[in-house]
Structures are given as C-alpha cells and as structure tokens.
Amino acid sequence: MSRGAAFTYSPLLPTGGDTTEYRLVTDEGVDVVEGPGGRRFLTVEPAALTQLTAEAMHDIAHYLRPAHLAQLRAIIDDPKASPNDRFVALDLLRNANIAAGGVLPMCQDTGTAIVMGKRGRHVLTDGLDEEAIALGVYQAYTRLNLRYSQLAPLTMWDEKNTGSNLPAQIELYAEDPNGHPDAYKFLFMAKGGGSANKSYLYQETKALLNPQRMMQFLDEKLRLIGTSACPPYHLAIVIGGTSAEHALKTAKLASAKYLDNLPTAGSMLAHGFRDLELEAAVLELTRDFGIGAQFGGRYFCHDVRVVRLPRHGASCPVAIAVSCSADRQAVAKITPSGVWLERLETDPARFLPDVDLTEEPVVRIDLNRPMADIRAELSKYPVKTRLSLTGPLVVARDIAHAKIAERLDAGEPMPDYLRDHAVYYAGPAKTPEGYASGSFGPTTAGRMDSYVEKFQAAGGSMVMLAKGNRSQQVTNACKTHGGFYLGSIGGPAARLAQDCIRHVEVLEFPELGMEAVWKIEVEDFPAFIVVDDKGNDFFAEVTKPMLSIGKR
C-alpha cells in the first residue's frame, strides 16, 4: 500500500500582507485585558461593531478607491479610447464628485449589504456580533438616502419589501487575520442587482486547461456579460476550486481586489495563485471586443484578475464575476489601537480633467413632441448616435410591467402614459430634502424584454430607455412596430439626479414605492441609440465570439 505525500499545509488563499491605508473611526469600545498564561485579549463592544458597519456602508455608498478613480481618468487621457469611452468615463467621474458630497449615493441601487469578518482567537465579544453588524447596516440604510431593495418572502409566491434593506449577508470566521490573534478584520461590500446578476459558474473539464481552448472559452463567455452591470468592469475569473461555491466566492473576493496579494505561481502546497500573464492576455482580449465602456470602444474592463485554484480531478469549475462602475467595497480592522476603516477618496474632483466634450456630435431630442414625431427624428440616425433628451419620461420597471401586462391580458387598453411618452426603466433612491429626485440611474433593460412585443403591439413602449444589451426579440419587435431602444449610461445616478432630473411625480401604483410608475421631467439627459426601427442592434456584432472554437 503506497503512502501519501508528507503532511504540509497552506491556506487555500494565502492573501499576504496588508498594505491598506486606514483612517481611525474611533478608539472607544475596544480594550485590552490580561488573560491566562500571560495572553492579552482584545475586547470589542457591540457598539464598536455597529458604528464601524454604519460608517463603512456610508463610505462605500458615496466614495470610491483612488485607484479606481485614476483608472477612469486614464480612459479620458488614452488617445486610443473611443469618444464614447471618454464620455462615459467623464460622466462617471462627475458622478463620483457629486456622490462625494455625502447626500446622493453614487448609484440608485444601493445594493445588498455584504459583510465578511475574520475574528482572531484572542478577540472577545458578547457573541452577538452578527446582530450588532446588522444594526449598523440598518442605521446606514434608514438614516441615509439609500434604497431598500430586500424582499421578504411571505409565501412561495408573495413577497414584501422589508423597508430597511435587511437582511444583510453576514459571514463571520474564526481565524487569526494575517497571523494576528488580537485583530478582527472585515470586508464590507454593497452589491447591486446588476453586477450580482453577472456572476457565472461553468462546470468544465480538463479539456479547458490549454491556452487556445481557454481563450476561445473566455472570448465566448465574457461577451455574454454585456453592459447591463455598468462597465468598465473589474473582472475576476477563477479556474478550479474545491467546490462550485468556493470558486464563486473566490471570484467575488477577487473582483473586490481582496486577493491581490496572492502568490503569482503555484506549488505542491496546492494553494491558489494569480496568473498575471493570463490576466494581461484576457484584458487585451476584452479590448478587442468593441463593446467598450457601454457604447463602443476599448474599455469594457479596467483590469482583470485570474485566480487558479486546486480542483478535484473530475471537476473543473470556472467562476466569473465583476465589480461595476459603482465599485463599492472597503476593508476594515479592529485592533488594540482602535477601530479602523479603509481610507476612500473624499476629493474625487482632483481626478477631473479640464476637457470639454460638448463639441463632440450630439443630437438633441425634444420629448415634448408627439410620439410619432420623436420616432421620426430618431429614425434619421444610426445606432451608437449620442443623444441629449429633454422633456417628459415615464418611469416603470418590473412590477409595473407585470401589472400592465395583466391588464392587457384582461382586454384593457394600454395606458396612455406608455403610448404618449418614452419609458425609462429605473427605480429611485430616497429623495433628499431640497432635491427634485434621489439618485435615479437606469436599471437593467433585459428584465423587461418579455413585455416588449406585447406592449408595442398595443401601441406602448415605442421608445425605451435603460442600460445594457437586449435580446433578439426586442430587436425584432422594434423592427416590426417601429420602436427604439436607447441606452442610458449605467452608473452616474447621482449626476442624473442633480443635473438632469427637474421634477418627479407618481402616476400610478404609489403603494409599490420605488417600483411605482413615475413621470419625470429631464433636461439634457444623455443617451445613445442602441436598437433602431430598422432591425439594427449595436450589441449584435460586438457580442459574437471572434475566435473560432473547434471540437472539444
């Protein structure tokens, strides 16, 4: 009987040292006490956990990491970037500047609160850490101008908004962070539905593990991410994994830069590592897609992280995840010296360039005209044309569409507001005092695809405005009925609220909260023609794989 290899141990994800710049939140609620055997223990009061969580959720709703902002600026400075790349990057920088004022969050989808904590063996609490952290989430979302997105299932089919954005996803581990038994370390994230929905798991085989097949696979799968999660992305790819769920979680952590200090080569210790060469190759692959920063160009991704994990010989999971233009995460720690939170950028204006994009071509569309006139004007221009919209829009999304579809099925007519006006798929965050609107960016268009044919056949939804690519059925409906889909920049929800939305009122279904049907007045609202009335779809070409795929 053969003996196994000698025992060796390495963590699956050896994350290395911590180079984060922190700011002190408080030195209250923490103390050091003497324990048996001369050991020293860090005591942490529940109030310290709550305060840290509330501040973290505030900061990631309003501030970004300096490195992320520098990457946006680099797009504007890159002569190879397309005009649409630069326009999107500049709009996102302006949005960051507005959000940093601490009133309007950077995105209207202020996300699911996700907290991961690693508590050293010499850290003492009252044992109710999860409850204290949940209270911090509650305080942030109920006191700030954030949106409640969590739905409680009352039955298998019925659900209701919790009105607090709870529950949060809280995962706590007993582990000495970076070898420090008297430290408690955290990762705080706010994950909106758009980017969360672009997490993918593929169960592959050994056949994938060669350079040509891998690049063919990624050329196909990465295009499927599309733009509905608001690029430019921080893209993470994980190859292998001891389980499917571990591969997916590793991809999420990698997209948040949490695993940047992994080793860059493998060993017989069977730990995960980053493949820097493949990262560079995949980034260049995405540059050639033509998708760009939402409306054509090079900047589908800011950067790429590729993590290789050990695997069972019969399994080869591949996980893909993105962090979107609302790159919302921060790390934190509690040590004997106090409660510390990652220092995010509070002055994003320093990344704004002195550029004027107003001279680049833009078509101004007056939404006060009859719908037939609006469609006739749009029909003059090709896809990718940049627009500036002024006038009334109707806002409706998932639940409102479902209710209107039920009316049509019952033989009732299409509501006049969807016949007379362009429809914007969106749902606002809370409106601050003195503002016309809360953060009010577009939601993912694809969720409404199944309604388009029925609605356009009934004379409604002839001009639609949202983010992301759409299915062939939408292109077919627009060609048949003479409709249009306009793409709005995904991400700059605060800038749209401050600079473009002048008035907001509820038209129908007020009981649905942010899912109600709204009427808004906009001025110089940016958009692009994505699908026209002739059957053209900008995304149709750029989502087709270019690398040939042979038999496996």
Side-chain angles (χ1 to χ4, degrees):
M1 182 176 180
S2 63
R3 295 179 178 273
F7 174 78
T8 57
Y9 175 75
S10 170
L12 271 175
L13 297 170
T15 52
D18 184 1
T19 58
T20 306
E21 182 182 354
Y22 292 94
R23 67 174 181 86
L24 180 65
V25 174
T26 182
D27 57 7
E28 297 182 359
V30 295
D31 197 6
V32 176
V33 299
E34 299 294 330
R39 291 179 293 176
R40 291 164 59 83
F41 289 82
L42 174 67
T43 63
V44 180
E45 296 295 326
L49 293 172
T50 298
Q51 182 179 355
L52 172 60
T53 302
E55 290 217 22
M57 288 299 156
H58 167 276
D59 282 12
I60 63 178
H62 292 282
Y63 309 134
L64 291 159
R65 287 170 167 161
H68 175 87
L69 294 164
Q71 287 174 309
L72 286 172
R73 173 60 187 267
I75 295 174
I76 298 171
D77 294 337
D78 183 0
K80 295 181 180 179
S82 72
N84 285 352
D85 277 339
R86 289 193 291 271
F87 182 77
V88 169
L90 180 59
D91 219 38
L92 292 171
L93 279 175
R94 289 170 172 164
N95 185 71
N97 194 49
I98 293 168
V103 178
L104 293 166
M106 68 182 76
C107 180
Q108 81 287 343
D109 184 351
T110 48
T112 297
I114 300 173
V115 184
M116 183 181 73
K118 295 182 177 181
R119 189 174 82 178
R121 66 187 186 276
H122 290 174
V123 177
L124 303 178
T125 70
D126 67 356
L128 300 176
D129 301 22
E130 188 171 346
E131 182 177 345
I133 291 167
L135 177 59
V137 172
Y138 172 85
Q139 289 179 355
Y141 277 84
T142 55
R143 295 174 181 176
L144 302 171
N145 298 306
L146 309 184
R147 197 175 84 184
Y148 308 141
S149 299
Q150 304 308 306
L151 303 177
L154 304 181
T155 70
M156 181 59 75
W157 322 117
D158 301 314
E159 51 193 5
K160 186 176 181 180
N161 195 299
T162 62
S164 65
N165 214 56
L166 292 176
Q169 178 181 322
I170 302 171
E171 301 175 4
L172 303 178
Y173 299 87
E175 177 182 326
D176 287 355
N178 299 114
H180 297 290
D182 59 349
Y184 204 159
K185 301 198 76 172
F186 299 89
L187 171 65
F188 293 96
M189 303 178 72
K191 198 71 172 173
S195 61
N197 292 347
K198 295 303 179 180
S199 298
Y200 294 100
L201 174 70
Y202 301 97
Q203 295 286 14
E204 295 298 311
T205 69
K206 166 67 175 173
L208 186 66
L209 299 181
N210 69 78
Q212 181 183 9
R213 175 57 194 158
M214 179 62 71
M215 294 304 288
Q216 292 168 341
F217 173 86
L218 294 174
D219 182 40
E220 174 190 350
K221 302 305 183 186
L222 296 180
R223 292 172 187 269
L224 298 178
I225 297 173
T227 61
S228 58
C230 308
Y233 297 127
H234 300 284
L235 172 66
I237 302 165
V238 173
I239 300 156
T242 51
S243 65
E245 64 270 22
H246 186 256
L248 279 167
K249 180 167 184 179
T250 302
K252 178 180 284 188
L253 295 176
S255 72
K257 307 295 183 71
Y258 188 78
L259 304 177
D260 274 11
N261 291 332
L262 283 178
T264 55
S267 77
M268 286 304 295
L269 291 173
H271 54 71
F273 66 90
R274 284 180 60 189
D275 187 325
L276 303 184
E277 183 178 347
L278 188 53
E279 289 178 2
V282 173
L283 181 60
E284 194 58 35
L285 176 70
T286 66
R287 295 277 193 259
D288 294 335
F289 285 172
I291 299 173
Q294 306 190 28
F295 302 103
R298 288 169 45 82
Y299 282 93
F300 185 62
C301 295
H302 283 302
D303 48 40
V304 178
R305 297 293 181 270
V306 177
V307 177
R308 180 68 158 92
L309 294 178
R311 68 182 185 92
H312 185 286
S315 303
C316 186
V318 177
I320 297 174
V322 297
S323 184
C324 66
S325 58
D327 189 41
R328 292 174 294 192
Q329 55 262 327
V331 295
K333 62 181 180 180
I334 302 177
T335 70
S337 61
V339 179
W340 302 85
L341 180 60
E342 181 176 355
R343 186 182 299 279
L344 302 180
E345 181 58 64
T346 58
D347 183 24
R350 68 187 180 91
F351 293 93
L352 281 169
D354 295 323
V355 299
D356 183 5
L357 297 181
T358 58
E359 295 182 0
E360 295 182 357
V362 59
V363 175
R364 302 193 178 279
I365 302 294
D366 181 2
L367 299 175
N368 291 290
R369 294 179 295 172
M371 178 55 64
D373 292 352
I374 296 172
R375 290 161 58 195
E377 180 68 15
L378 291 173
S379 191
K380 299 176 183 178
Y381 303 100
V383 294
K384 285 208 300 187
T385 297
R386 184 177 141 210
L387 309 174
S388 176
L389 310 178
T390 298
L393 290 168
V394 167
V395 180
R397 46 181 281 161
D398 307 65
I399 298 177
H401 274 69
K403 287 181 174 292
I404 293 168
E406 290 174 358
R407 290 181 181 174
L408 296 178
D409 290 341
E412 297 180 34
M414 173 64 64
D416 287 343
Y417 54 71
L418 279 186
R419 298 173 65 92
D420 297 339
H421 301 293
V423 58
Y424 179 38
Y425 303 157
K430 285 182 281 188
T431 301
E433 185 175 354
Y435 284 71
S437 169
S439 292
F440 210 155
T443 197
T444 302
R447 298 204 308 272
M448 268 56 74
D449 283 5
S450 62
Y451 300 104
V452 174
E453 167 60 34
K454 177 182 292 188
F455 281 26
Q456 290 191 344
S461 295
M462 301 307 296
V463 177
M464 302 163 286
L465 176 66
K467 67 174 181 175
N469 46 299
R470 307 200 71 168
S471 62
Q472 184 63 39
Q473 63 181 322
V474 172
T475 302
N476 294 343
C478 287
K479 183 177 181 180
T480 299
H481 301 290
F484 294 84
Y485 167 54
L486 311 181
S488 177
I489 300 173
R495 196 192 78 76
L496 293 175
Q498 177 175 288
D499 297 342
C500 301
I501 299 175
R502 301 304 181 215
H503 178 72
V504 177
E505 61 180 285
V506 176
L507 283 182
E508 195 172 13
F509 309 127
E511 70 278 7
L512 299 181
M514 68 92 177
E515 291 260 13
V517 174
W518 308 77
K519 184 178 181 181
I520 65 175
E521 292 285 336
V522 302
E523 182 178 345
D524 292 331
F525 193 107
F528 296 79
I529 299 176
V530 176
V531 177
D532 67 13
D533 57 346
K534 305 169 189 67
N536 299 308
D537 176 4
F538 159 64
F539 289 109
E541 290 301 318
V542 297
T543 54
K544 292 179 181 177
M546 299 301 293
L547 300 178
S548 61
I549 300 177
K551 292 183 179 180
R552 298 176 62 177

